[in-house]
Amino acid sequence: ETGVTQSPTHLIKTRGQQVTLRCSSQSGHNTVSWYQQALGQGPQFIFQYYREEENGRGNFPPRFSGLQFPNYSSELNVNALELDDSALYLCASSFSLRGDSTDTQYFGPGTRLTVL
Amino acid sequence: AQSVTQLGSHVSVSEGALVLLRCNYSSSVPPYLFWYVQYPNQGLQLLLKYTTGATLVKGINGFEAEFKKSETSFHLTKPSAHMSDAAEYFCAVSDRSGGSYIPTFGRGTSLIVHP
C-alpha cells in the first residue's frame, strides 16, 4: 500500500510568481486536506476536498486554490506569492463517509516552499 | 472560535521517566481532539484521537491522553520515555464551525529525551 506522496520536495520561487504543489493520496482515500506549516509553528488548515469539491476552508485568501481529481490526487495552487508564503506545505488524505476532518488523516512528507 | 494552547515549547525528560505534554483547548461545542507526532523532515503521524465515549484514549507507541471536559484539557502521557520518542508533538482540536469541521493545531511541544 503506497502512502501519501508529495512533489516536489523543495521549491524556490520569487515574490509575485505562481506555484503548483501536488499530492497523491493513499490508495482508497477520497478526502484530501492541505496545511501550511511555518517554521516553528503548528500546521494551519488551508482547505479540504471531498469527492472533488471543496468542503471546508481555513482563513486563507482566495489566491490559495486547489483541485482534487477523479483519482483523488490533488493540487494546491498559490498565486502572487508573498514572502510570508514560505513554509512547509502538508497534504493529508483520509477515507471519509461524511467529508469531515475528524477521520484519521495520513500525512505526506510535505513540500518546502521558499519565496525570495 | 476554537483554539489550542500547548504549555511549554520544550519539555526535557530522562529516558525511562514519565512524559507529560499539556494541551488546553477552547471550543463552543463538543470537540474532536487529536495528538500528532512529527519527526524531523517528515509529515505528521496520528498518535491518538478522542471523538466520543471513553475519556481515556490509548494510542500508539504507549501514549495515552485523557479528555477532561471540566478542565478543557487533553494532556498526553507516557509512563516511560524512550530515546525514539524525541520529536515534535502537536495537539489539535476540530469542531463543526459553520457546518464544516475545521482543525486547529497548537504551536507544538518539542520533546527532548536525555540518556
Side-chain angles (χ1 to χ4, degrees), chain A residues 37 88 90 107-110 112, chain B residues 37-45:
Chain A
Q37 186 178 18
L88 180 68
L90 296 165
F107 283 78
R112 174 74 62 187
Chain B
V37 61
Q38 186 176 33
Y39 296 98
N41 301 313
Q42 295 187 26
L44 279 70
Q45 180 183 12

Side-chain angles (χ1 to χ4, degrees), chain A residues 92-104:
Chain A
S93 74
S94 60
F95 175 76
S96 176
L97 296 175
R98 300 179 302 274
D100 61 53
S101 63
T102 61
D103 301 291
T104 298

